[in-house]
């Protein structure tokens, strides 16, 4: 009996063990399911939080965009108001209560210019015998050329290019002008004309250097003497063909540092058809070689000036005739060259283009020539020299232009010219 009870108890124990294991398995599965549910719930919560944050960021961005739009609209409104206010605040002469006197500033400037005068420096370059001195005398209707100032001197062909200048004070209707004419005897007269333009380039750069040194003085002059070359008239021989190699090389180099105006000298040796064909071929050569002559297109400031300069560019190079002799034509004295076929009137546009050259140099573009020289050519030279001085200062630890008592010593700068 006892053995049976023990067996039954063993069997019951064995039956209870799997029941306990099943309960443990069920409990573990329940816990796992609960954990999964909590994890899923956590993921869902996290996703919901992220979505809420994204929505908040979108709302912030929308608000910032709206604020920016509002600010921009307010700025635009203010700008429009300011523009409108500026337009409304513009007062014309008819709206003034009476005479103010603003236009009197022109009289002040005129009076100051007439009192102080101004300088104009012109250079003439070309082979001997092309009439450079005669042309300068014709331009200013006076004996201003170098040859006219020394009539008794014998003119010999120079072995090298030597620049010579002569200055005059010309007064017309109360306006004073100090005219300096720079001549280049010996240019293009040699068998070997290689680098014959170097003395001319050196002279032009020396004048820029002189002006720059005056500007760098501590106690500089109120009015710096201006010896810079404002215009270079280049004389082309009336061959009727094309530009020569010396013409191309000279104008290609000089066009970067000075305003060049090319002219065809002694154009009365060509017929009208030959003249027009020669001018057209010269313009093609200038464009083909990238030669810059005055007036340049990039310096035109407004449509009116561009229109005027386009007409001038269509006439370049000017076919000119020079003389300082007067003749009677229909009871009037005119400048002209007398031949057995008639008189070539210098100032008659039907005979030559001298009048166009004179108007360009004196009557319409004289001040612009000076402005281009100061603002373009001199400014380019000044920037280059100051950059060189900065490099030398860094390398050597001293300035290229040492100043002593307000003056600059002339050291190594000349070697760079």
């Amino acid at each position: 009996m006892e053995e049976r009870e023990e067996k039954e108890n063993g069997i019951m124990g064995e039956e209870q063990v799997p029941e306990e294991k099943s309960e443990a398995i069920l409990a573990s599965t329940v816990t796992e399911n609960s954990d999964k549910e909590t994890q899923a719930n956590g993921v869902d919560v996290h996703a919901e939080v992220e979505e809420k944050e994204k929505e908040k960021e979108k709302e912030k961005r929308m608000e910032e965009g709206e604020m920016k739009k509002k600010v921009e609209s307010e700025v635009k409104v203010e700008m429009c108001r300011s523009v409108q206010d500026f337009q409304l605040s513009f007062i014309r002469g008819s709206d003034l209560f009476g005479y103010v006197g603003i236009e009197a500033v022109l009289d002040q400037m005129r009076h100051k210019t007439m009192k102080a005068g101004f300088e104009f420096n012109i250079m003439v370059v070309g082979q001997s015998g092309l009439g450079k001195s005669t042309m300068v005398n014709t331009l200013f209707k006076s004996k201003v050329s170098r040859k006219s100032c020394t009539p008794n001197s014998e003119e010999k062909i120079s072995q090298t290019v030597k620049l010579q200048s002569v200055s005059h004070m010309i007064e017309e209707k109360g306006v004073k002008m100090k005219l300096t004419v720079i001549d280049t005897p010996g240019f293009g007269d040699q068998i070997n004309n290689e680098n014959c333009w170097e003395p001319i380039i050196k002279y032009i750069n020396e004048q820029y250097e002189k002006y720059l040194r005056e500007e760098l003085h501590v106690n500089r002059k109120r009015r710096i003497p201006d010896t810079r070359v404002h215009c270079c008239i280049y004389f082309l021989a009336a061959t009727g063909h094309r530009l020569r190699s010396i013409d191309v090389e000279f104008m290609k180099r000089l066009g970067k540092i000075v305003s060049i105006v090319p002219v065809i000298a002694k154009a009365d040796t060509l017929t009208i058809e030959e003249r027009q064909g020669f001018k057209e071929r010269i313009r093609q050569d200038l464009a083909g070689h990238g030669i810059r002559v005055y007036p340049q297109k990039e310096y035109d400031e407004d449509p009116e000036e561009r229109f005027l300069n386009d007409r001038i560019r269509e006439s370049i190079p000017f076919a000119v005739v020079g003389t300082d002799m007067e003749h009677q034509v229909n009871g009037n004295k005119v400048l002209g060259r007398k031949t057995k076929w008639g008189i070539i009137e210098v100032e008659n546009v039907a005979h030559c283009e001298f009048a166009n050259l004179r108007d360009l140099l004196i009557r319409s573009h004289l001040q612009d020539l000076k402005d281009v020289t100061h603002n373009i050519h001199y400014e380019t030279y000044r920037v280059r020299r100051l950059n060189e001085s900065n490099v030398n200062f860094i390398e050597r630890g001293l300035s290229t232009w040492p100043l002593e008592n307000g003056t600059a010593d002339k050291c190594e700068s000349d070697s760079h010219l």
Side-chain angles (χ1 to χ4, degrees), residues 73-91:
S73 62
E74 290 176 358
V75 171
K76 288 181 180 179
V77 170
E78 289 178 359
M79 290 177 65
C80 293
R81 288 176 180 174
S82 63
V83 171
Q84 291 177 358
D85 293 338
F86 177 77
Q87 291 177 351
L88 292 173
S89 63
F90 183 77
I91 303 174

Side-chain angles (χ1 to χ4, degrees), residues 300-337:
D300 296 341
E301 296 181 353
D302 51 60
E304 181 180 357
E305 185 176 354
R306 188 179 301 111
F307 176 75
L308 176 61
N309 290 340
D310 284 340
R311 294 180 59 186
I312 295 172
R313 284 186 281 265
E314 291 174 358
S315 300
I316 286 177
F318 298 106
V320 297
V321 177
T323 183
D324 51 7
M325 301 296 294
E326 289 185 339
H327 300 278
Q328 289 284 341
V329 176
N330 298 327
N332 298 322
K333 286 185 177 182
V334 296
L335 288 172
R337 290 173 57 85

Side-chain angles (χ1 to χ4, degrees), residues 196-210:
C196 62
W197 48 78
E198 288 185 353
I200 300 173
I201 295 175
K202 181 179 179 182
Y203 177 85
I204 294 173
N205 286 332
E206 283 177 351
Q207 308 316 308
Y208 290 150
E209 183 73 19
K210 187 185 296 185

Side-chain angles (χ1 to χ4, degrees), residues 345-356:
E345 299 179 25
V346 171
E347 296 179 307
N348 189 341
V349 292
H351 293 183
C352 71
E353 296 173 334
F354 168 80
N356 296 335

Side-chain angles (χ1 to χ4, degrees), residues 44-313:
D44 294 336
V45 171
H46 185 67
E48 290 178 359
V49 171
E50 287 182 352
E51 288 180 357
K52 289 181 179 179
E53 289 179 355
K54 289 180 180 180
E55 289 178 358
K56 289 180 180 180
E57 288 179 358
K58 288 182 181 179
E59 291 177 356
K60 287 182 180 180
R61 289 176 183 175
M62 291 291 291
E63 291 177 357
E64 290 177 357
E66 291 177 357
M67 289 294 293
K68 287 181 180 179
K69 288 181 180 179
K70 287 181 181 179
V71 171
E72 289 178 356
S73 62
E74 290 176 358
V75 171
K76 288 181 180 179
V77 170
E78 289 178 359
M79 290 177 65
C80 293
R81 288 176 180 174
S82 63
V83 171
Q84 291 177 358
D85 293 338
F86 177 77
Q87 291 177 351
L88 292 173
S89 63
F90 183 77
I91 303 174
R92 300 182 181 276
S94 59
D95 298 329
L96 297 174
F97 298 139
Y99 178 72
V100 177
I102 299 173
E103 53 88 19
V105 68
L106 297 177
D107 295 333
Q108 298 173 28
M109 295 171 63
R110 177 181 174 84
H111 177 72
K112 189 173 182 179
T113 304
M114 291 177 64
K115 184 178 180 181
F118 62 95
E119 297 121 338
F120 186 59
N121 308 316
I122 187 170
M123 175 183 284
V124 289
V125 182
Q127 287 182 322
S128 299
L130 293 181
K132 301 187 295 295
S133 299
T134 304
M135 178 56 60
V136 173
N137 293 339
T138 309
L139 277 171
F140 298 97
K141 294 187 177 181
S142 57
K143 305 290 185 179
V144 295
S145 66
R146 178 182 58 85
K147 289 183 179 180
S148 300
C149 298
T150 56
N152 296 327
S153 63
E154 295 182 1
E155 188 68 20
K156 297 181 181 180
I157 297 177
S158 177
Q159 298 297 323
T160 58
V161 181
K162 296 180 180 179
L163 281 78
Q164 301 177 3
S165 63
V166 58
S167 298
H168 303 273
M169 184 64 71
I170 301 176
E171 183 177 356
E172 183 182 29
K173 295 183 178 180
V175 179
K176 296 178 182 179
M177 180 181 71
K178 182 183 178 182
L179 174 67
T180 301
V181 181
I182 303 102
D183 197 0
T184 57
F187 177 83
D189 295 333
Q190 311 302 319
I191 296 175
N192 183 8
N193 291 309
E194 185 179 2
N195 298 328
C196 62
W197 48 78
E198 288 185 353
I200 300 173
I201 295 175
K202 181 179 179 182
Y203 177 85
I204 294 173
N205 286 332
E206 283 177 351
Q207 308 316 308
Y208 290 150
E209 183 73 19
K210 187 185 296 185
Y211 195 90
L212 179 59
R213 289 181 176 278
E214 289 291 337
E215 281 191 336
L216 292 176
H217 285 176
V218 176
N219 298 319
R220 60 184 180 182
K221 301 176 183 177
R222 292 182 59 187
R223 185 181 178 89
I224 299 175
D226 190 3
T227 60
R228 298 168 296 180
V229 179
H230 300 128
C231 178
C232 174
I233 305 177
Y234 187 71
F235 287 75
L236 301 168
T239 61
H241 302 294
R242 286 185 175 274
L243 292 177
R244 301 172 302 164
S245 59
I246 187 175
D247 301 330
V248 173
E249 294 299 326
F250 175 85
M251 288 192 286
K252 187 183 293 185
R253 287 169 170 79
L254 270 292
K256 299 176 182 179
I257 61 175
V258 71
S259 298
I260 296 180
V261 178
V263 299
I264 301 173
K266 297 185 176 181
D268 54 335
T269 59
L270 300 172
T271 64
I272 296 176
E273 292 79 10
E274 291 173 343
R275 182 193 303 174
Q276 290 301 119
F278 188 34
K279 292 180 63 173
E280 184 62 30
R281 287 189 290 274
I282 290 175
R283 283 194 288 266
Q284 292 175 0
D285 290 343
L286 293 174
H289 292 283
I291 298 173
R292 304 171 61 189
V293 297
Y294 182 85
Q296 292 91 336
K297 287 185 178 180
E298 56 267 28
Y299 302 153
D300 296 341
E301 296 181 353
D302 51 60
E304 181 180 357
E305 185 176 354
R306 188 179 301 111
F307 176 75
L308 176 61
N309 290 340
D310 284 340
R311 294 180 59 186
I312 295 172
R313 284 186 281 265

